[in-house]
Amino acid sequence: MKVLIVIDMQNDFIDGALGTEEAVKIVDKVKGKIDSYLAAGDTVLYTQDTHTEAYLQTQEGQKLPVEHCIKGTPGWEISQKVYVSGCQVIEKPSFGSIELAELMAGMKEIQSIELIGLCTDICVISNALILKAKMPEIPIVVDSSCCAGATWAGHQNALQAMKICQIEVSGG
């Protein structure tokens, strides 16, 4: 079985509070990748950055003082352009998700895990590294054409860091 993990394709990261042109540009590619996995009978799941109204009082909120992905707001929702009903969603209060890694480690017969989404240099790299640490013999792949970083330089730096950590980067 192959697993596709769609990282934080939420309204606030696409065209909301922390949106970028680069994020908007990958939406159609992300949807195409999701559709291809589902057509092949593979597993697709989503992560969802989830904060409370007290976000600005958290360590992250102090370092990134932009309210975003506040649970229950339109910005918190996964974009309807990429969301497929029936796929599992894992809410995560921070960049990387231990719950996601534990869920993946508990699945039988995983051939590979592919990550796509936002932001390459924050949540994509965090989850890729956690998954690689939890499951070092499972191929972890990041499709760079279906990712966007907070900045172009950050995107490129994250891709290079993942390559060094034996995470396959595809998509040119």
Side-chain angles (χ1 to χ4, degrees), residues 97-151:
S97 174
I98 301 297
E99 179 185 350
L100 173 64
E102 290 172 350
L103 175 68
M104 293 294 98
M107 288 185 168
K108 303 291 183 218
E109 300 179 26
I110 292 179
Q111 297 169 339
S112 66
I113 298 172
E114 185 170 11
L115 290 84
I116 59 175
L118 304 167
C119 291
T120 318
D121 46 343
I122 304 171
C123 295
V124 174
I125 190 172
S126 296
N127 284 288
L129 290 170
I130 291 169
L131 288 163
K132 190 66 174 174
K134 184 75 172 174
M135 302 170 17
E137 296 304 316
I138 299 295
I140 308 294
V141 179
V142 172
D143 182 343
S144 65
S145 73
C146 290
C147 293
T151 66

Side-chain angles (χ1 to χ4, degrees), residues 81-100:
K81 294 176 182 175
V82 300
Y83 180 68
V84 176
S85 181
C87 293
Q88 185 171 358
V89 177
I90 296 175
E91 293 180 16
K92 57 184 192 53
S94 185
F95 308 130
S97 174
I98 301 297
E99 179 185 350
L100 173 64

Side-chain angles (χ1 to χ4, degrees), residues 9 13-15 18-27 118 148-149:
M9 288 296 295
F13 291 128
I14 297 171
D15 56 10
L18 293 171
T20 64
E21 280 185 43
E22 290 81 9
V24 170
K25 288 178 184 174
I26 68 165
V27 169
L118 304 167

